[in-house]
Amino acid sequence: MRRVIVDVDVGTDDAWALLLLLKCERKFNLKVDAITCTHGNTDVLNSSRNVLRILKAIDRMDIPVYRGASDPIITPAPEREEHFHGVDGFGDLEFEQPDDSLIQPEHAVNALFRRIVASPGEISLIFVGPLTNLALCLKMYPEVREKMRDLYIMGGNRHGVGNATKAAEFNFWADPEAAHIAFNNVQCPITLLPWETCVSEHRGLDMGWRLDVLGNSTNRAVQMLNLVEAKCYSDWMMWMPCDAFLAAVFIKPDIVRDSEIFHVDIELTGKLTRGQVVPDHLKTNKENTRIVNKLDMDQFKILMMYAADHDVEQSL
């Protein structure tokens, strides 16, 4: 059984990643041990509340939820003109307020350390928001560097194509120092799903399919996300579930159709490129990261249908 801790900044695509992982536990022999929350799409309190909403909707309140970093490690949170997922991360639709007492009192960074060192080499980590919790854990508890099984990250870019700035993807732009710390300290295998891969692969996900086919479900979490994404994607022709792409890569490794291995570092001081991923194309440094370039989108759509409780198990 593959055990995993998921770090999120929920965010609708984070919510889909969680739903996909939890719905696939039995079928794919994995177990979500815990969920840690960070700043990013929204503040860390709203992030944790949105996690509770998803867990309650699918009757999985057995999963412990931890609140983590509320700000980037060094610099203040960058100024933002808009919040794609709404200020609260769930479209500002004023869903029922969850019980904050259900959030674990232990800080997410301490929970990561405690769980990783208790099961050395057994815990995979999936990070789909800014990497602040991971970077803090690596600096506070350096021994975790050698005790993680593997690390999956959604973020960054490999061709300098950004969404938060001209040359930076949102998760790494939100805390570039954290990304730099992670890639320069982690000693386990790293899989990176960059922004450009999301851009190329989402072109096969029509919003009509998302809302009318995938969304035609009795699953209460899906029904909630239907409302949020109908608002957030009202002007979009295609659906962009970045974090769910990464969850699918973890769940079903053969969904990856093309990838490359590079040494990866993060630009911190460039006036125009702060937060940009820099792969070492010259191969002067030892490779530390597998970059995912292409996915089997037919398999991805079936996985998503399965997570939304459609009768597609025979196709998996």
Side-chain angles (χ1 to χ4, degrees):
M1 178 176 290
R2 293 182 295 160
R3 299 166 57 192
V4 61
I5 297 174
V6 191
D7 189 272
V8 297
D9 62 333
V10 182
T12 62
D13 52 340
D14 308 68
W16 276 107
L18 288 177
L19 182 61
L20 184 56
L21 288 162
L22 291 168
K23 285 291 184 176
C24 287
E25 280 185 324
R26 292 184 181 180
K27 180 69 176 177
F28 292 92
N29 197 31
L30 59 97
K31 182 179 184 296
V32 177
D33 278 4
I35 300 167
T36 54
C37 303
T38 188
H39 67 97
N41 282 318
T42 183
D43 62 53
V44 69
L45 176 57
N46 278 319
S47 176
S48 56
R49 286 173 173 170
N50 292 337
V51 170
L52 293 178
R53 290 183 174 108
I54 293 295
L55 295 182
K56 182 179 179 181
I58 61 172
D59 195 24
R60 287 303 308 271
M61 297 301 292
D62 56 297
I63 309 293
V65 179
Y66 300 89
R67 189 182 303 162
S70 57
D71 294 293
I73 287 181
I74 297 177
T75 55
E79 292 289 335
R80 297 170 60 183
E81 295 182 1
E82 60 181 28
H83 293 73
F84 179 80
H85 300 270
V87 174
D88 71 352
F90 259 22
D92 302 320
L93 295 177
E94 299 183 0
F95 292 110
E96 180 182 353
Q97 194 78 308
D99 182 358
D100 290 343
S101 70
L102 296 173
I103 301 168
Q104 301 294 314
E106 185 180 18
H107 194 279
V109 172
N110 295 327
L112 282 168
F113 164 71
R114 175 176 57 81
R115 288 174 173 274
I116 291 168
V117 298
S119 303
E122 297 182 14
I123 307 293
S124 296
L125 301 179
I126 296 178
F127 274 69
V128 292
L131 300 178
T132 313
N133 286 335
L134 177 59
L136 288 170
C137 188
L138 289 165
K139 284 301 186 182
M140 292 173 65
Y141 307 108
E143 56 267 44
V144 304
R145 299 174 188 175
E146 301 176 351
K147 299 185 185 301
M148 296 178 286
R149 176 173 174 168
D150 45 25
L151 170 63
Y152 291 73
I153 298 171
M154 189 281 123
N157 48 17
R158 63 158 303 178
H159 299 301
V161 177
N163 58 0
T165 69
K166 296 176 183 178
E169 177 276 335
F170 176 83
N171 287 343
F172 286 13
W173 168 79
D175 195 345
E177 281 76 18
H180 176 80
I181 289 168
F183 282 94
N184 282 278
N185 285 272
V186 166
Q187 296 183 19
C188 67
I190 302 173
T191 295
L192 176 68
L193 183 89
W195 169 246
E196 293 100 334
T197 301
C198 298
V199 171
S200 64
E201 301 305 88
H202 95 295
R203 292 168 183 157
L205 297 175
D206 181 85
M207 279 304 298
W209 176 86
R210 157 63 188 93
L211 294 173
D212 300 333
V213 179
L214 180 63
N216 185 18
S217 170
T218 59
N219 183 303
R220 290 188 298 154
V222 174
Q223 292 173 352
M224 183 187 309
L225 291 171
N226 286 345
L227 297 174
V228 178
E229 294 194 316
K231 179 180 179 180
C232 295
Y233 286 93
S234 61
D235 296 327
W236 286 52
M237 297 296 292
M238 301 296 173
W239 182 42
M240 178 72 85
C242 300
D243 299 341
F245 288 150
L246 182 68
V249 169
F250 176 78
I251 293 165
K252 206 169 188 296
D254 66 358
I255 204 170
V256 176
R257 285 291 178 256
D258 182 69
S259 63
E260 297 177 85
I261 308 294
F262 287 101
H263 180 274
V264 163
D265 209 337
I266 311 300
E267 175 60 58
L268 298 182
T269 59
K271 182 178 180 181
L272 299 176
T273 57
R274 177 170 162 79
Q276 180 177 321
V277 168
V278 183
D280 180 8
H281 293 277
L282 299 179
K283 304 292 185 178
T284 55
N285 293 288
K286 181 180 178 181
E287 294 90 345
N288 62 357
T289 303
R290 175 182 65 142
I291 300 179
V292 175
N293 294 327
K294 188 171 181 57
L295 304 176
D296 183 328
M297 292 305 293
D298 291 333
Q299 286 195 53
F300 175 77
K301 292 171 83 169
I302 293 170
L303 274 176
M304 296 304 290
M305 293 286 282
Y306 181 73
D309 292 334
H310 292 277
D311 184 17
V312 296
E313 184 172 2
Q314 72 280 0
S315 300
L316 290 173

